[in-house]
Amino acid sequence: MVTEIKAGSRTDKSGNSVLRGGAASFFLSPATIIIIIFLVIPAFWTIYLGITNYRLTGFSAVDPEIIGLENFKRALSDPAFFNSLKVTFIFTIGSAILGQAVLGFFLAWILFGLSKRIRSTVEIIVIAAWMVPSSVVSFLWIAFLNGDVGTLNAILGSQTRWLIEYPLESIIVFNIWRGTAFSMLLFAAAVASIPKSHLEVARVAGASRGQQLRTIVLPAIRPYILTDILLITLWTFNDFGPYLITSGGPGQETELLAIFVYNNALRFLDFGYASSIAAIMLLINLILSLIVITTGRKRSK
Amino acid sequence: MKNPFRADMEKSSSERITSALFVVIVSLFFLLPIAWLFLAPFDGQPTYRLKLSDPSFNNFREMSQNPYAYRSLLNSAIFSAGTGLVIILIGAPAAYVLSRVKFKGRDVFLYFLLLFSSVVSGSAAMVPLFLLALRFNILDTYHGVIFILAGGLLPAAIFILKDFTDSLPRSYEESAKIFGASSYRILKDIVAPVIRPGLAVIFVWAFVQSWGNFLIPFIIIRDINKQPAAVMMYSFYTEAGDAVIRTVAAFGFLYTIPVLLMYFYVNRKYGFRFYGGIKG
Amino acid sequence: MKSFTHSGAKGLIGKRELNRPDLPTFRKRVSMKQRTRSSVAIGLALALAIGVTSITPASANSVGAACAKADQKAKVGKVNVICKQAGSKLVWTDTRVRTVEIAANAIPGGKNSQTASWINNFVIPKFTLASAQKGQQVKVNFVPKGIDDNAFKTQLALDLSAKRGADIINLDGFWIAEFADANYIKPLETVLGKKTVNAWDGWSQMPKSIQGVMSYDGKLFGTPSGTDGRIIYYNKKLFADAGLPTDWQPKSWAEILTAAQTLKTKLPSDTVPFQLNAGAGMGEATAMQGFLNFIAGAGSLIYDTKSKKWQGNTKAVRDMLTFYNEVYNVKKVGNSEWQKLAGEAGRNASFEAFSKGKLAMMIEGDYMWRGVINPATGNYKMADRDTNVGFARIPSQTAGSGVGKQNFVSYSGGGGYVVNPNTANKATTWDLLKFMNSEEAILAFMSIGNSVRITQRADVNAVTLTSDPCLKFVFEKAIPVTFFRPPSADYNAVSTLLQKATAEIVQGSSVAQVAADYETALKALVGADKVTSN
């Protein structure tokens, strides 16, 4: 069903077709208030802390000084920070872009062609993985990957201590498992929105499923792909979940940036440094978003 | 609504087999780790192994000895439902406005809010959030936690809800306007019913995010009677930091079931979809 | 009358009631005569009462007088005080309710359960009762918690920074320095007044070495809750099987290594000779049971309080790393796997192995004896603990090479309770704290856990430790040579660097490289001017 926006609809002076100014501000104000107080102010405050040497205990707690870019310089010469950066990029690319998005799409695509019952069942299972609370989920995976009696080893007949020998791979797989549901749902809506006629034409013209995929489906759901990649990249990059499984270890092999921040904040109570890392993460998020958005715009030309 | 593809497409048997194989393997992949959650809590002597060798309810009994266990689940429900409600009551109108009103830099503005929300949900924001809550005198309160959680989730919620409202044809609203309906009535009677599935999904999403959130209650709440399950989970660990598998499994089960049930309900009633811009 | 009662409550509520003729009629019916009668009756009753009270024994009358007199004498605040007779004594009860709150990372049935039970079942009821007998009403709140220690510390810091929080706070001893530097806590004398603090007789029972747990910069910040010490535990049977003496006491690091090698040769291959905590998974356990003892044994303390400098790439640090290298790479007498596990897994694996006789020696705190391999209540019960486990002191590198020319070393931790400088209720808070440190209270604590530990009172120790050979050994042999962790806010981060260094040794890196890397990281952390090298 194709909907069209009526051409020549009545608009008021500001070009808004339906809402009047008063109503608009009324609708927006509660959200604005909450966002300003509980989002914008703390965010800026945190970034501000990044240029101080504030700590939660010690002398710098009562007497924090503004040290400008010192924290950032420290980060740039901190091997732990670079390790964390590397780990997080691998984690994000591996589990979000290559994992969740791809798996989510194929799930949506293949399930779309199956019976409703099968589809519901599989979807329920995939979504359940997404819904289980973090502290429980980490427990489930510690059990699943346990070296002695874990389910995975029971199936493979091995005794591998996954979390010690393949920690990064383990948390990548874990994160794919955890987050695919969102992509699957989003792509399900995407696939459902493709006009049936287009695919019909392609099929009649003799195109294989693979070709249909490439020539019709993917271009049609382009905006969805972008939205999905954008959101899950941001979410995964900032993800803290794996901490509950590996504590960032062994050593620092799975110390994601969010965990690195957590360690500096909660263990060393060094909030100045932790905040500077958070600010750097914000910057990286910004760059990543820009990349995704501009890639999107370029291709459509 | 019948799947428009099924009747039309002829699948080759190889396609059928690959599809089937894919579905089975993926389903197993998602199912196996969860399976433990449905067996171990009911096993009298649970280990990390997937088994049910000694069926009993002992773990639940032992867990109940903690006088705050059940209360914490109730608290989680209060925080999560509260946050969910705030999100849809406040986020939906905001999404509607942002969808209908085009101002310069609107999209950029939304993206920035999205980026800020990731800063605020990290550990570094702990101190600012605490001091803010102190200043507004909402420390150790239910609404304090709800507002902070809502603040962090609103940008993403608005982002997704805006997609829903974008896909809504304006013709209805314009007709209503001609007939003199106020914006509020338009929102309530025309827009909301149509995007109700979206509202339900966002409510569940916000609920689930809040349900599992440890950090904010940890920063804000001190009274043990207000402590949510996410924090209470850790009191089932021993002095050595060892998880007592029996009680953790039982509590984990009770902690998980509500969100699963909620999903089932919403799925049955509305279908669980992140409908996004059904664009013309 | 009948109809009045017949209608009952229902009639009273309805509108009809307003028009009921009964009530006015009833009034009218009372005659002057009846009124006079009732007045006389009342008057007689009054007279009787007055008469009776005046005839009663003199003491009753004098209660009022005595109270008034004593009130004036004691100059008690009259507003909130009630004077009552309790038996033959006069008791003033302050009607104000004083509330005191205790914060500790303890929850019944979970973390530090013994502490939580003690507070709920002994401290609160007993103290409330004792206060009532003194004429004070108190309400003691305890907020149970069962979270990660670092998380607890963060919550405390947040609360104290906002000048909130409980009145009595349980702090780990080595947090004192950073909390004090941040002005979150103040010395006990500052908060309560020098006279008040010194007036307590409990101090005479508290050894100065144990007071050190809660001290910083020469000042005492709170009352310690006992302490602990580190020793080498060994399995006598395995030693006998390998031909080693069962009353073993090594006098140098070399002797430990030799014994370990003998064990490795003579015992089955699934038995680990020696557990030396390493790596970041075990956190502070790697420090307290591991490298700190060996840096001190090599002659230096990790942090020099006079010069305020940390040990960087120094001989002591390199010697410590070399010892780790000998254990894990050269002689291979340890289990490298355990050191790589995340969280508590590695430590628990070593506990389990020792309890099952699959680990011959390990360095641990007395917590292991009391709480881990305790045959009755331990997490990894060891049935033959009392007959089969020997203890030895941790030797210095060689005789006399330890800090202060010590032959042996140990490290002690422990925590205690401080008084929140922002408390609204200093007097009651101090009373409660004194009570919690009384002989009675400490004995009660130990009886709840059904196990003995080294407490902060010598009188209690003298009685209880005689029955426990291990704790007696620790108290008599290890505590006198013990050290405490550096009182510096940076300690946590430095400790993590060293944990990482030991992890790298276990992975096989060279001592020279690891020491150099450690120093680089240390300098980045605290500043190059706070690092010693040699």
Side-chain angles (χ1 to χ4, degrees), chain A residues 197-208 212 215-216:
Chain A
S197 48
H198 293 187
L199 277 152
E200 180 68 23
V201 165
R203 187 190 71 83
V204 163
S208 73
Q212 288 172 29
T215 55
I216 312 272

Side-chain angles (χ1 to χ4, degrees), chain B residues 65-85:
Chain B
Q65 284 172 9
N66 184 324
Y68 309 103
Y70 290 114
R71 172 90 206 192
S72 72
L73 290 167
L74 177 64
N75 288 328
S76 288
I78 296 176
F79 288 135
S80 306
T83 308
L85 276 175

